[in-house]
Amino acid sequence: MSKNRRIPFGYMMQNGMITTNPAEVLAVLTIFSEYMVGKSLENIAINMKIPYNEDKIWNKNMVKRVLENEKYLGTNVYPQLISEEVFKKVNVRKSAKATSLCIIPDELREIRNLTVCKECGKRLFRTKAELWDCRNHECRPFLFKMADEMLTGAILNILNTVIVNPVLIEAVATVSEYIPTSEIRCKQSEIDRAIDNGTKTAEEIRNDIFKLAELKYKHCTYSDVNQKTELLKSLIDSRNQLNTLDIGLLRSCVKRITVSHLCVIEAEFINGVIIKNETERSNDNGSGSKCKDNPCKAENNGSTSSAEKG
């Protein structure tokens, strides 16, 4: 198990004195210079080659601590690694960036908490230009620009669709289901043979039966889909169509929102039903192209049905 550092990254103890660690000093200088040219904390962490501490992998919080560590300015104990000018510039930049990222309406913050990239599952990034995108370096950016109004409008459309057409969120599931496995069948055959041939005592057979019952219980599944479907119905029952997004209703009804790289927006409701809102590109009499909304679609357990928007 790795231990937490007692001496800040960039320094080491030598002959009872704190001195610089050349390899780590180079890493500290790299962190400051890369942040100054615009690289994100996460991107810097991913590309760090020198371990932070034993087997600890770098993360953005570690990079942030390096950028904020005033010991790099030099003290009676710690030698100076970073000039005061560079340290100040970096932290002014970081403060400004943090402030700009926090300026997001409560409504959009709630949406962001629910919304992920369809392809990689990572939470979406909202830029200063009020556009949404996937910034996961292992994934890829969206093919089209996704503005605030597009995302909130699509979600509003989905909620209004199920308000007008509650049949779309119908999901009937078997409350409990039991499917015998090969292990269960073998155990059952073993007990049957023991009873027929008299090769085990009554006590041994009883213990085997208890073990079989335990195996069967472990392979019984329970589904609360029906209860969640009834809850959804009660939440949207007798509601009028929404003119603005109801965040309380969204939070109660929707478990997750996904956006694909083609900007197909899906809302997965708490009972597992998925409602899609699609935008596609089409030619307009050969003179150009335009985007249009398709009817919402509902999916449940692999089956798909379509319904006109309300």
Side-chain angles (χ1 to χ4, degrees), residues 148-189:
D148 286 346
E149 294 79 7
M150 294 170 64
L151 183 57
T152 56
I155 296 170
L156 179 63
N157 181 50
I158 289 172
L159 289 177
N160 278 331
T161 297
V162 298
I163 287 173
V164 176
N165 304 284
V167 68
L168 288 175
I169 55 171
E170 288 282 359
V172 180
T174 304
V175 175
S176 61
E177 186 177 13
Y178 164 68
I179 301 175
T181 63
S182 58
E183 183 183 7
I184 290 172
R185 287 193 289 267
C186 288
K187 192 66 178 175
Q188 182 68 66
S189 298

Side-chain angles (χ1 to χ4, degrees), residues 13 25 29 40 46 58 76 92 110 161 167 179 181 201 203 209 215 224 226 232 253 272 288 298 310:
M13 183 70 73
V25 169
L29 296 174
S40 67
I46 289 168
W58 281 86
N76 292 334
V92 167
E110 291 288 347
T161 297
V167 68
I179 301 175
T181 63
T201 65
E203 181 70 17
I209 290 173
L215 280 173
D224 60 355
N226 293 339
L232 282 173
C253 294

